[in-house]
Amino acid sequence: MAPVGRGEMLLALVVALCLSATTTEAQLRVGFYSCICPQAELIVRQEVNKAVRANPGIAAGLLRLHFHDCFVRGCDASVLIDSTRGNTAEKDTIPNSSLRGFEVIDSAKRRLEAVCRRKVSCSDILAFAARDSIAHYKGIAYQVPAGRRDGRVSKAAEVIDLPPPMFNLTLLTPFFTKKGLSQDDMIVLSGAHTVGISHCPSFAARLYNFSGAGTTDPSLDCGYAAQLKRRCPPRSNNVVPMDPPSPITFDTSYYRNLLVNRGLFTSDQTLMSTRATAAKVRQLAGNPWLFQTKFAAAMVKMGNIGVLSGRKGEIRANCRRMN
């Protein structure tokens, strides 16, 4: 028998790695598509960059889209599914009514289906797009473990798993812990509010009817409250930046706002309500590198919530409907 050369051994190793990416017991891993669809992450990045050039704010929408997906049924792209005559899907609920970026995911999926038919899941596209969006805002371009498969269910009733913006620390924390995320993860992930916009109804009660008393939330800085009232007169649906000092930069301005009572949502300012959580906020406010690295780690952790892999779920041909 002829001796096996180095080139043949290398080829055998590459084949073995490719096969491992498609086993029924596959788990999420960095480089999952390196053999079965090497262009996957590049194509998603190109589509995100194209969309951001046309509309810089869309990047924050893609980040939020991934978050809203993972908190309901896990990271299975159920948030992308359209409603049908017999079922109202997640996207057609009040908490999801302002979600943006669906068309960016659609564009990436069309290109991927053209070069790698039924190989790249919509849920992985969401995870890649969220990472690329953060990088656009000068955040860390972290590595994304992939191998998720898409779910076959999307029900409006299950959107109750999304943490509401009007909840305080006591009510908010269980929404994260039941998903396997710690309170520290919650504080770090809340930093996503350093970019993007919000519609006035999401926080109007803090301005005009706090605790049903017809007053302004006393924990809200008076100057900031006055500024918000000018932008958000009663019953308006205007939009405001969530982090006015730097709404398109992924920085620690969000945490510095909390230190001076300028958190937009109750769920933001409540992070200052205990000594322990306030200490975390101060730590992140003063250390941009710590925030960036912790946020990247928390995003990877969140991206593991309830994932489907192996033979579970499917790889949708169209992200808006099941096969």
Side-chain angles (χ1 to χ4, degrees):
M1 180 181 294
V4 178
R6 177 179 294 181
E8 292 169 299
M9 292 177 64
L10 181 59
L11 178 60
L13 177 60
V14 170
V15 170
L17 287 172
C18 288
L19 290 174
S20 70
T22 57
T23 59
T24 58
E25 299 301 322
Q27 299 297 315
L28 302 192
R29 64 179 180 83
V30 173
F32 182 85
Y33 293 107
S34 59
C35 294
I36 60 176
C37 188
Q39 295 175 286
E41 295 192 47
L42 174 62
I43 287 173
V44 175
R45 188 177 308 117
Q46 288 173 342
E47 290 303 310
V48 170
N49 289 342
K50 182 171 68 175
V52 168
R53 283 195 295 271
N55 176 12
I58 200 66
L62 290 166
L63 175 57
R64 185 168 176 243
L65 201 56
H66 182 45
F67 182 93
H68 279 230
D69 179 49
C70 290
F71 265 72
V72 181
R73 301 191 69 84
C75 309
D76 67 346
S78 54
V79 74
L80 303 178
I81 295 174
D82 287 341
S83 296
T84 62
R85 182 174 297 179
N87 177 66
T88 302
E90 294 170 27
K91 63 166 59 172
D92 292 318
T93 59
I94 292 175
N96 285 335
S97 61
S98 60
L99 289 179
R100 301 179 296 156
F102 295 103
E103 70 285 353
V104 182
I105 306 301
D106 290 339
S107 296
K109 183 59 173 175
R110 281 193 296 270
R111 285 188 60 190
L112 287 165
E113 284 297 300
V115 296
C116 305
R117 185 174 181 273
R118 300 286 179 88
K119 290 292 190 294
V120 184
S121 68
C122 301
S123 46
D124 277 342
I125 295 173
L126 276 173
F128 294 146
R131 181 268 312 278
D132 297 337
S133 296
I134 294 167
H136 166 74
Y137 289 127
K138 301 180 181 177
I140 290 177
Y142 57 90
Q143 292 187 312
V144 176
R148 300 166 188 81
R149 287 169 65 85
D150 301 323
R152 298 189 178 101
V153 177
S154 182
K155 294 183 179 297
E158 295 181 347
V159 174
I160 58 171
D161 278 351
L162 287 172
M166 71 289 297
F167 273 18
N168 63 25
L169 189 69
T170 301
L171 296 173
L172 199 62
T173 301
F175 278 82
F176 288 78
T177 55
K178 73 180 180 180
K179 300 296 182 183
L181 299 171
S182 67
Q183 190 176 73
D184 284 357
D185 293 325
M186 179 184 78
I187 295 170
V188 171
L189 289 170
S190 296
H193 289 173
T194 192
V195 293
I197 58 174
S198 174
H199 288 78
C200 297
S202 297
F203 55 87
R206 296 190 73 199
L207 302 178
Y208 301 109
N209 193 28
F210 182 68
S211 297
T215 58
T216 301
D217 184 349
S219 73
L220 189 61
D221 173 77
C222 293
Y224 187 43
Q227 175 186 330
L228 290 173
K229 285 179 179 179
R230 287 193 294 272
R231 295 287 298 272
C232 296
R235 293 175 295 281
S236 73
N237 194 39
N238 298 336
V239 296
V240 300
M242 291 190 289
D243 178 10
S246 55
I248 57 172
T249 305
F250 208 79
D251 57 16
T252 59
S253 176
Y254 165 81
Y255 298 105
R256 297 196 298 273
N257 291 340
L258 301 186
L259 297 179
V260 292
N261 297 318
R262 287 179 167 242
L264 183 61
F265 305 121
T266 298
S267 60
D268 292 324
Q269 198 59 51
T270 194
L271 300 183
M272 292 294 295
S273 62
T274 71
R275 181 177 297 179
T277 57
K280 294 289 184 182
V281 170
R282 283 191 290 272
Q283 184 184 41
L284 294 168
N287 193 330
W289 178 251
L290 180 67
F291 166 56
Q292 294 270 8
T293 53
K294 281 185 171 290
F295 189 86
M299 285 293 289
V300 170
K301 188 175 179 181
M302 185 188 78
N304 275 279
I305 296 174
V307 297
L308 303 172
S309 62
R311 295 187 182 278
K312 297 177 181 177
E314 63 185 15
I315 305 297
R316 287 185 219 139
N318 182 328
C319 291
R320 292 176 178 263
R321 57 177 179 267
M322 284 79 81
N323 293 336

